[in-house]
Amino acid sequence: MRDAVGQGEDVILLCGAEPRVEAAARPGLALALAEMTAALRGQVGALVASGGETARKVLDRWAVSRLLLHGELERGVPVSSTTVDQDRSLNVITKAGDFGQPYTLVHCREWLKQGRK
């Protein structure tokens, strides 16, 4: 993961191969994702977090306390930004875990790629 980010590649972390995660396992998985990504905080170009609990844990672990809302990519999929490392802007897209269309995460990636050009 660290090598891929260092090479400027997109990285997707999933909680598992199954499309649904048992409710009792979700808090621990959200915390694990937050811990796994903490070292990448100042290295990524953008963050897309799916699942409200996951997004909250990751943002907390990354010491993000404020998001500036810019609008919605899709209904219920807000696009925001924050500042990390005192001066670097980071785009943040969040999505509720059980919300959106089958293509929503692909749409997030496409939107971010267009913004980088």
Side-chain angles (χ1 to χ4, degrees):
M1 176 177 64
R2 189 182 316 260
D3 291 343
V5 169
Q7 294 173 13
E9 296 180 24
D10 294 335
V11 175
I12 299 172
L13 298 178
L14 303 172
C15 288
E18 297 299 318
R20 298 248 181 236
V21 175
E22 294 295 323
R26 291 178 187 172
L29 289 171
L31 185 58
L33 284 171
E35 291 299 321
M36 287 173 58
T37 63
L40 302 175
R41 176 182 177 267
Q43 300 172 31
V44 299
L47 173 68
V48 178
S50 179
E53 189 165 2
T54 299
R56 182 72 268 150
K57 295 281 188 201
V58 170
L59 292 171
D60 284 348
R61 184 63 177 92
W62 286 28
V64 172
S65 60
R66 181 175 297 171
L67 293 172
L68 176 62
L69 180 63
H70 299 290
E72 287 183 311
L73 182 60
E74 295 177 7
R75 184 173 173 264
V77 182
V79 176
S80 305
S81 64
T82 191
T83 302
V84 294
D85 298 331
Q86 301 176 348
D87 63 348
R88 196 169 72 75
S89 181
L90 177 71
N91 286 321
V92 178
I93 301 175
T94 55
K95 180 189 95 53
D98 293 331
F99 191 85
Q101 303 301 315
Y103 57 81
T104 297
L105 292 175
V106 172
H107 190 196
C108 292
R109 183 174 186 260
E110 290 170 351
W111 185 89
L112 289 167
K113 288 286 189 185
Q114 288 175 352
R116 292 183 191 163
K117 293 180 181 176

